[in-house]
């Protein structure tokens, strides 16, 4: 698959044209996990600014997932038998994976962002292995996903999941552990080597010390022990004093505000617009600088930055559409949303398992740097896996309800979907719904049309004009076409 060079020269000026179908679908593919035919139809003709405002306001006002019954469990709540305890903990984690995946499908921008932040402020459930810690970590992501970034960084560092994952619970004043201090700068706020020193890391680790009281029972909340905190003078990013945790956050955002803004806005740009933010062919760096200025002017509030970006000519430029490779979660959840096929927890279990097979295990990115996204999702083994697991998911939908395939074909074609006698029109409508820019070459459309026509090819219904989507085998025609589409390169993009 060709790697797309970023040659977008559009600016952050507002995009004022009414949204056409392609740009409406682009908006929903980037700000959520796509959308139904009906939602896209409603967006066509709308003003981008109004629609983006609505999506951002929904994200700001959306509530996090309610706490499960085990949200505050410690090891004392589990059976004494280790195998039974492990089975129960695994069941709780799977329950939460299902709850969160349902939320990804329902919450558009809010959980698109929480999903993004889970790959930036990374933890791995296998390291801390406490269901309660997982709940509070996801809760922190959801509450702060479109809030204030400084507050977010302050809160995430004191979640039990992060304290265990990056060894904060072992950071004693008399024997400081530098792991979290290093990642706070390198991965979470500044970027590797970006205007901090090894001495800053050492001194910061001392200031962060003391959150080491783990309780007498496993999976208890971690608390601060003042006797384990380094009370000596420390010099951090040029400031000297008897600093503690809150001081570190204040100093970091005061002394390195510009670096933080550029780094985080670059991350947001690469996630939402184009994976290449440094190509000389476009003006990505100018866009990121504009976003950074907005970030700083709004005291690190995330929403104004996203509002500026998502309303811009740069975001809606044709060169941004179809240039990001779908992650496994994108691929399956987009398929569910775009077809409107009915799903339940059994279907989502299959989605979660399939994502794990393709190296995207929910709540367990590959390491502290997270999934590297985009081209890493595509290699020979993963491509075959993407095809086969997508085919299995379509087969599941087919076995459950064949008629929903006909309904999708009709909806995708629009008002004439049930009565048109043109199989090419229906084929193109379905292809264009499932791909960001359609198929690259006319010959590829011809191949798709041949697949769609095949069940009735020998019955003369095309020749005499009697074919339509209400014929008995039309549902299978849509099924066969979808099986064909999922193997096309264009389907892998969003």
């Amino acid at each position: 698959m060709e790697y797309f060079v970023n040659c977008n020269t559009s600016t952050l000026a507002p995009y004022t044209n009414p949204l056409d179908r392609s740009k409406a679908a682009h908006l929903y593919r980037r700000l959520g996990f796509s959308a139904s035919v009906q939602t896209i139809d409603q967006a066509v003709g709308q003003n981008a600014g109004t629609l983006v405002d609505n999506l951002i306001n929904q994200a700001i006002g959306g509530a996090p997932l309610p706490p499960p019954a085990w949200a505050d469990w410690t090891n004392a709540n589990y059976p004494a038998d280790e195998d039974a305890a492990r089975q129960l903990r695994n069941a709780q984690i799977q329950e939460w994976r299902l709850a969160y995946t349902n939320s990804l499908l329902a919450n558009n921008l809010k959980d698109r962002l929480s999903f993004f932040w889970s790959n930036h402020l990374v933890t791995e459930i296998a390291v801390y292995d406490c269901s309660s810690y997982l709940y509070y970590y996801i809760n922190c992501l959801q509450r702060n996903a479109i809030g204030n970034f400084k507050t977010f960084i302050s809160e995430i560092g004191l979640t039990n999941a992060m304290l265990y994952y990056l060894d904060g619970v072992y950071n004693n004043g008399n024997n400081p552990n530098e792991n979290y201090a290093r990642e706070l700068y390198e991965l979470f706020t500044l970027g590797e080597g970006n205007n901090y020193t090894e001495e800053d890391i050492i001194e910061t680790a001392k200031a962060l010390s003391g959150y080491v009281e783990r309780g007498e029972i496993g999976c208890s909340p971690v608390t601060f022990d003042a006797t384990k905190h380094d009370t000596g003078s420390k010099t951090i990013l040029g400031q000297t004093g008897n600093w503690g945790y809150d001081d570190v956050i204040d100093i970091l955002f005061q002394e390195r505000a510009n670096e933080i803004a550029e780094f985080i806005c670059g991350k947001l740009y690469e996630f939402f617009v184009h994976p290449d933010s440094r190509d000389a062919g476009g003006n990505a760096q100018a866009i990121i600088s504009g976003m950074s200025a907005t970030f700083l002017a709004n005291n690190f509030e995330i929403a104004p930055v996203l509002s500026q970006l998502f309303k811009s000519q740069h975001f809606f430029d044709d060169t941004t559409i179809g240039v990001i490779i779908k992650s496994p979660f994108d691929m399956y959840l987009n398929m569910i949303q775009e077809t409107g096929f009915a799903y339940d927890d059994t279907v989502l279990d299959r989605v979660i398992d399939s994502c794990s097979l393709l190296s995207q295990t929910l709540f367990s990115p590959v390491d502290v740097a997270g999934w590297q996204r985009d081209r890493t999702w595509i290699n020979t083994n993963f491509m075959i896996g993407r095809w086969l697991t997508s085919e299995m998911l379509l087969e599941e939908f087919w076995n459950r309800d064949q008629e929903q395939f006909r309904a999708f074909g009709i909806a995708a074609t629009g008002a004439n979907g049930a009565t048109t006698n043109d199989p090419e029109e229906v084929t193109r409508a379905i292809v264009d719904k499932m791909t960001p820019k359609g198929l690259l070459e006319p010959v590829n459309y011809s191949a798709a049309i041949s697949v769609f026509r095949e069940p009735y090819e020998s019955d003369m219904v095309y020749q005499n004009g009697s074919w339509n989507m209400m014929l008995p085998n039309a549902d299978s025609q849509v099924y066969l076409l979808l099986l064909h589409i999922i193997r096309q390169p264009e389907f892998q993009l969003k």
Side-chain angles (χ1 to χ4, degrees):
M1 180 177 297
E2 178 183 358
Y3 174 60
F4 292 94
V5 173
N6 189 357
C7 54
N8 186 346
T9 59
S10 295
T11 70
L12 283 171
Y15 181 80
T16 56
N17 294 338
L19 293 175
D20 62 19
R21 193 169 304 280
S22 173
K23 287 181 167 53
H26 168 67
L27 182 69
Y28 278 97
R29 281 197 180 104
R30 297 291 174 86
L31 272 65
F33 287 89
S34 201
S36 67
V37 173
Q38 293 76 15
T39 298
I40 300 302
D41 285 346
Q42 290 170 5
V44 171
Q46 286 196 41
N47 174 267
T50 302
L51 186 53
V52 168
D53 282 341
N54 290 339
L55 292 170
I56 287 179
N57 289 335
Q58 288 172 16
I60 292 171
L65 285 166
W70 40 264
D72 294 303
W73 279 24
T74 66
N75 284 356
N77 297 98
Y78 290 91
D81 179 78
E82 288 187 13
D83 287 341
R86 166 54 50 205
Q87 290 179 12
L88 181 53
R89 187 171 279 114
N90 287 343
Q92 291 169 347
I93 292 168
Q94 186 60 15
E95 173 193 334
W96 198 237
R97 284 189 171 119
L98 282 168
Y100 187 63
T101 303
N102 271 295
S103 194
L104 294 179
L105 281 164
N107 282 330
N108 285 320
L109 179 59
K110 187 176 191 68
D111 275 322
R112 168 55 85 182
L113 279 167
S114 73
F115 196 71
F116 163 77
W117 292 120
S118 75
N119 197 45
H120 180 73
L121 303 165
V122 172
T123 69
E124 298 174 58
I125 182 65
V127 174
Y128 55 84
D129 197 27
C130 288
S131 306
S132 59
Y133 293 1
L134 174 63
Y135 162 69
Y136 280 104
Y137 168 71
I138 295 298
N139 177 264
C140 185
L141 297 181
Q142 291 184 313
R143 285 187 297 101
N144 291 286
I146 195 166
N148 184 275
F149 185 66
K150 180 181 176 184
T151 301
F152 198 174
I153 288 295
S154 178
E155 289 191 16
I156 200 74
L158 294 182
T159 59
N160 297 305
M162 191 66 77
L163 284 167
Y164 270 90
Y165 182 58
L166 291 181
D167 299 328
V169 291
Y170 308 113
N171 186 9
N172 291 288
N174 61 355
N175 185 25
N177 185 297
E178 299 168 10
N179 201 7
Y180 183 71
R182 186 176 306 280
E183 306 308 354
L184 173 63
Y185 293 155
E186 181 174 316
L187 292 177
F188 296 170
T189 60
L190 296 175
E192 186 174 359
N194 188 16
N195 204 7
Y196 62 89
T197 66
E198 193 68 21
E199 191 62 25
D200 287 322
I201 292 172
I202 294 169
E203 295 287 276
T204 298
K206 295 176 183 177
L208 298 175
S209 64
Y211 290 88
V212 295
E213 180 50 55
R214 300 188 287 279
E216 297 181 1
I217 301 170
C219 291
S220 295
V222 179
T223 57
F224 181 72
D225 182 349
T227 68
K228 303 295 178 62
H229 173 67
D230 185 308
T231 57
S233 180
K234 309 136 187 124
T235 299
I236 298 171
L237 303 177
Q239 291 200 23
T240 302
N242 177 17
W243 308 129
Y245 185 93
D246 291 340
D247 300 311
V248 168
I249 305 302
D250 287 341
I251 292 168
L252 171 59
F253 279 78
Q254 176 183 324
E255 296 295 329
R256 298 293 184 270
N258 291 333
E259 290 86 346
I260 292 170
E262 287 280 339
F263 180 64
I264 296 305
C265 289
K267 288 278 190 174
L268 290 168
Y269 181 93
E270 290 174 356
F271 184 78
F272 284 108
V273 181
H274 198 292
D276 179 7
S277 66
R278 302 196 177 277
D279 189 79
N283 64 343
Q285 287 302 300
I287 299 299
I288 292 168
S289 293
M291 294 165 63
S292 301
T294 300
F295 208 18
L296 292 170
N298 288 276
N299 297 314
F300 295 101
E301 291 290 333
I302 298 166
V305 177
L306 296 180
S307 178
Q308 179 187 37
L309 178 64
F310 296 152
K311 294 177 181 180
S312 72
Q313 295 173 16
H314 192 89
F315 179 78
F316 285 104
D317 193 278
D318 285 342
T319 62
T320 71
I321 300 175
V323 296
I324 296 178
I325 296 172
K326 294 174 182 173
S327 73
F329 269 95
D330 277 315
M331 186 171 63
Y332 304 121
L333 298 189
N334 284 16
M335 183 194 298
I336 290 172
Q337 296 280 57
E338 289 167 2
T339 60
F341 293 160
Y343 64 91
D344 56 18
D345 284 352
T346 301
V347 169
L348 295 189
D349 266 329
R350 169 164 282 180
V351 165
I352 292 165
D353 289 345
S354 296
C355 288
S356 291
L357 289 173
L358 299 175
S359 197
Q360 193 176 33
T361 301
L362 192 57
F363 309 142
S364 288
V366 290
D367 55 32
V368 69
W371 303 301
Q372 293 309 296
R373 304 176 53 246
D374 216 54
R375 284 175 289 176
T376 63
W377 299 127
I378 302 293
N379 60 39
T380 302
N381 290 333
F382 283 174
M383 278 309 308
I384 295 171
R386 288 163 83 97
W387 294 339
L388 294 179
T389 52
S390 296
E391 287 172 1
M392 290 170 61
L393 187 58
L394 283 172
E395 183 181 14
E396 175 85 13
F397 288 130
W398 175 256
N399 291 336
R400 284 167 172 250
D401 178 11
Q402 298 175 12
E403 195 60 30
Q404 63 184 335
F405 285 75
R406 185 195 313 275
F408 167 62
I410 292 171
T413 314
N416 297 324
T419 57
T420 180
N421 62 359
D422 185 354
E424 293 191 16
E425 179 185 355
V426 179
T427 301
R428 288 180 179 275
I430 293 173
V431 167
D432 292 347
K433 172 59 184 170
M434 302 299 292
T435 55
K437 281 187 170 179
L439 299 177
L440 187 61
E441 300 290 345
V443 67
N444 297 334
Y445 274 107
S446 296
I449 292 165
S450 294
V451 169
F452 185 77
R453 288 169 58 106
E454 194 277 331
Y456 279 107
E457 197 61 78
S458 61
D459 294 353
M460 298 300 292
V461 294
Y462 303 124
Q463 289 82 350
N464 63 29
S466 64
W467 180 87
N468 63 74
M469 280 295 294
M470 302 310 296
L471 291 180
N473 282 343
D475 51 2
S476 67
Q477 291 182 272
V478 176
Y479 177 43
L480 291 172
L481 178 58
L482 289 175
L483 289 174
H484 176 78
I485 291 171
I486 60 177
R487 286 183 173 249
Q488 305 312 302
E490 295 87 346
F491 177 75
Q492 309 302 325
L493 302 171
K494 68 169 185 174

